[in-house]
Amino acid sequence: MKIQNQHIQDVNKNIIEDHNDSFDFLANKLTKNGHDVNTILSKLAEFQVAIPSWALGAGGTRFGRFGFYGEPTTLEQKIEDVGILHSLTQTAGAVSLHIPWDVPQDYNAVSELASSLDIKFDAVNSNTFQDQKDVKESYKYGSLSNTSQAVREQAIQHNIDVIKIGEKLGSKALTVWLADGSCFPGQNNFQTAFQNTQDSLKSIYKDIPEDWKMLIEYKPYEPNFYSTVIQDWGASLMLANECGEKAYTLVDLGHHLPNSNIEQIVSILSLKGKLGGFHFNDSKYGDDDLTVGSIKPYALFLIFNELVYGMANNPQNPDLAWMIDASHNVKDPLEDLIQSLEAIQEAYAKALLIDQKALKEAQLNNDVVKCQEILQGAYRTDVRPLIEKARLDRGGAISPIKAYRELDLRNYLIKERGRNTVATGL
Ligand code: LRH
Ligand code: MN
């Protein structure tokens, strides 16, 4: 299924006037305050976020899963769904595959379909947190950290196979997240588990192509509930440093203990040139994988303030991999992802309005009140006309949710795919 652009323009027609009024008003105000609106619009246009292939169907928990009709059941249908998101938002120009949930059957067909929808392949994700039916060793007691060499070697080989799949699709990064850890005190020798993981990652690293990155994702707990081998940014950073210059940390916003200062973590990893990318989502308690910006939008804004500062002042840090990692228990997966994409664009646009020079000066003068005035002045600006304009200029929808509903896309997918189709993934 591919959306005809004329259909999007038809929906835009009814709200273009309101948009133009609010955009002109905001653009005039920002220009008067010394902002270069066109630069902000082009930065928003360049900002492409990868959609997780494992989050295009309904998610669930151990307490149940409530399906969403018309879910994609093939990789091709998943790429079509990313195409729908990109047509409407013009900011979802990439997909991140999870192996073995999304092994392409026909690489050429998949590549052609993706490029016809202007979709690139972002990082590929390995999976050594589930046992696959046709493999010899079990990951019950861990994978790269496992006390069994045979299990570690199987997990290392899987990661190397994932790199090969990514190479065929033009991907440039491998994301490694390990569930490895323990559920009870005494179950693991922490040092042995960490050393095994380090040695295993270094084996995988040998197969990381020259122009690739290895992104090491940390997480404090779940599915293990006493210890996790790669539990926090420090463990990920140590392992990335041990591996080499192509290895970086990956920050999943939901992988932090309550009240962690994630913006400070992001700032320091960028300073050290070891910030590789993000899994955007939001959470109230644990790794809830909720819609980005739905619980802590100010925290997201503060993170983007550090990212904007880092992108301007840390040439030692590479271009970042931007990805969403969410799960949809009660919302239409495509509407949920649209809201996440909008929240990311909004946080970025507000952060681009921060007068970094004035902020630095106020910080040097310890003018604490002025620092907050500068930050919150930007945060309190309604930037929606800017992100609407950035979309409109490239043929997108002024209001993607409005367009998605007025074009009745979910029912279209149900007609095309049937009601009770279930997507692979979480
Ligand atoms: C682990 C995680 C990881 C993915 C998985 C789907 O919680 O964030 O990034 O492999 O979710
Ligand atoms: Mn993640």
Side-chain angles (χ1 to χ4, degrees):
M1 183 222 167
K2 186 172 180 175
I3 305 179
Q4 300 314 312
N5 189 269
Q6 189 47 50
H7 294 157
I8 296 176
Q9 299 322 316
D10 294 346
V11 176
N12 284 343
K13 255 204 304 290
N14 311 331
I15 53 177
I16 189 88
E17 224 173 291
D18 287 359
H19 160 72
N20 287 340
D21 294 349
S22 47
F23 175 74
D24 293 345
F25 172 78
L26 177 61
N28 289 337
K29 198 165 124 236
L30 293 178
T31 305
K32 271 203 209 92
N33 297 345
H35 291 287
D36 179 341
V37 171
N38 288 329
T39 301
I40 294 173
L41 289 174
S42 58
K43 285 187 173 172
L44 291 173
E46 285 151 24
F47 195 89
Q48 296 296 316
V49 178
I51 303 297
S53 63
W54 59 91
L56 292 162
T61 71
R62 58 188 166 159
F63 302 104
R65 179 185 181 280
F66 303 93
F68 225 93
Y69 308 124
E71 294 185 18
T73 55
T74 64
L75 179 53
E76 287 74 8
Q77 289 182 346
K78 288 185 175 188
I79 292 172
E80 284 172 10
D81 282 9
V82 177
I84 291 171
L85 295 173
H86 195 41
S87 299
L88 295 173
T89 67
Q90 295 296 323
T91 186
V95 62
S96 181
L97 300 189
H98 219 298
I99 308 295
W101 294 334
D102 304 302
V103 178
Q105 302 313 312
D106 178 338
Y107 282 86
N108 294 337
V110 163
S111 297
E112 274 157 31
L113 173 63
S115 56
S116 72
L117 297 167
D118 191 18
I119 304 287
K120 293 184 179 50
F121 290 95
D122 203 297
V124 281
N125 299 263
S126 60
N127 177 340
T128 58
F129 50 86
Q130 293 172 328
D131 286 345
Q132 308 307 323
K133 57 185 178 318
D134 49 8
V135 294
K136 187 166 173 305
E137 309 293 343
S138 169
Y139 296 133
K140 180 174 182 179
Y141 298 112
S143 61
L144 299 182
S145 72
N146 199 293
T147 53
S148 149
Q149 184 173 354
V151 175
R152 297 198 302 273
E153 281 167 1
Q154 177 182 286
I156 291 167
Q157 187 53 50
H158 165 70
N159 278 276
I160 293 170
D161 298 344
V162 171
I163 294 169
K164 299 283 176 275
I165 291 171
E167 281 187 291
K168 288 184 204 163
L169 295 167
S171 174
K172 294 293 183 193
L174 167 71
T175 296
V176 180
W177 169 67
L178 302 182
D180 294 30
S182 64
C183 278
F184 300 96
Q187 176 186 341
N188 267 9
N189 176 295
F190 297 135
Q191 296 189 2
T192 306
F194 193 86
Q195 193 62 53
N196 286 346
T197 302
Q198 180 175 301
D199 298 344
S200 300
L201 284 171
K202 291 172 94 165
S203 303
I204 297 166
Y205 186 82
K206 292 196 191 85
D207 278 64
I208 292 284
E210 250 344 282
D211 59 349
W212 271 51
K213 294 188 185 80
M214 183 162 83
L215 306 175
I216 302 172
E217 185 176 3
Y218 57 87
K219 183 175 182 177
Y221 72 95
E222 189 209 34
N224 278 296
F225 295 103
Y226 171 64
S227 74
T228 296
V229 177
I230 311 181
Q231 58 169 317
D232 64 9
W233 65 272
S236 172
L237 179 62
M238 285 191 276
L239 292 165
N241 285 336
E242 279 289 336
C243 288
E245 64 191 19
K246 293 179 286 181
Y248 298 91
T249 62
L250 187 142
V251 177
D252 183 314
L253 299 186
H255 293 184
H256 299 85
L257 297 175
N259 307 323
S260 296
N261 187 326
I262 303 175
E263 56 269 27
Q264 183 183 16
I265 293 169
V266 165
S267 169
I268 303 310
L269 290 174
S270 178
L271 176 65
K272 294 301 176 185
K274 277 298 187 183
L275 180 64
F278 280 84
H279 278 180
F280 291 114
N281 48 53
D282 209 339
S283 51
K284 179 80 175 153
Y285 304 103
D287 187 19
D288 310 339
D289 281 343
L290 299 175
T291 315
V292 181
S294 60
I295 308 288
K296 307 187 288 288
Y298 190 58
L300 183 68
F301 163 74
L302 294 176
I303 289 168
F304 268 93
N305 171 39
E306 298 304 332
L307 290 170
V308 167
Y309 181 85
M311 288 190 268
N313 296 281
N314 303 145
Q316 67 273 29
N317 202 77
D319 292 347
L320 294 160
W322 312 107
M323 293 168 277
I324 291 173
D325 184 0
S327 178
H328 325 289
N329 298 352
V330 292
K331 290 181 181 179
D332 176 322
L334 296 183
E335 291 190 331
D336 198 338
L337 289 163
I338 287 170
Q339 290 183 319
S340 282
L341 290 164
E342 290 207 284
I344 293 167
Q345 284 259 309
E346 196 172 349
Y348 184 34
K350 286 175 186 260
L352 288 171
L353 297 183
I354 297 168
D355 182 338
Q356 294 289 343
K357 190 166 163 299
L359 179 60
K360 188 81 176 201
E361 204 179 307
Q363 288 165 340
L364 292 173
N365 301 333
N366 296 310
D367 185 341
V368 183
V369 170
K370 184 159 185 197
C371 292
Q372 182 169 321
E373 288 300 306
I374 293 167
L375 271 188
Q376 297 199 337
Y379 183 71
R380 292 176 178 142
T381 305
D382 181 356
V383 295
R384 288 176 294 179
L386 278 177
I387 56 181
E388 291 170 356
K389 178 75 168 139
R391 283 194 291 263
L392 191 58
D393 288 352
R394 283 163 298 135
I398 292 170
S399 167
I401 292 283
K402 180 178 169 57
Y404 180 82
R405 292 190 171 195
E406 284 192 14
L407 297 172
D408 200 17
L409 295 174
R410 176 51 62 185
N411 285 326
Y412 203 103
L413 292 171
I414 292 171
K415 277 200 211 76
E416 194 178 84
R417 297 168 180 174
R419 287 178 67 78
N420 303 319
T421 51
V422 178
T424 54
L426 276 186

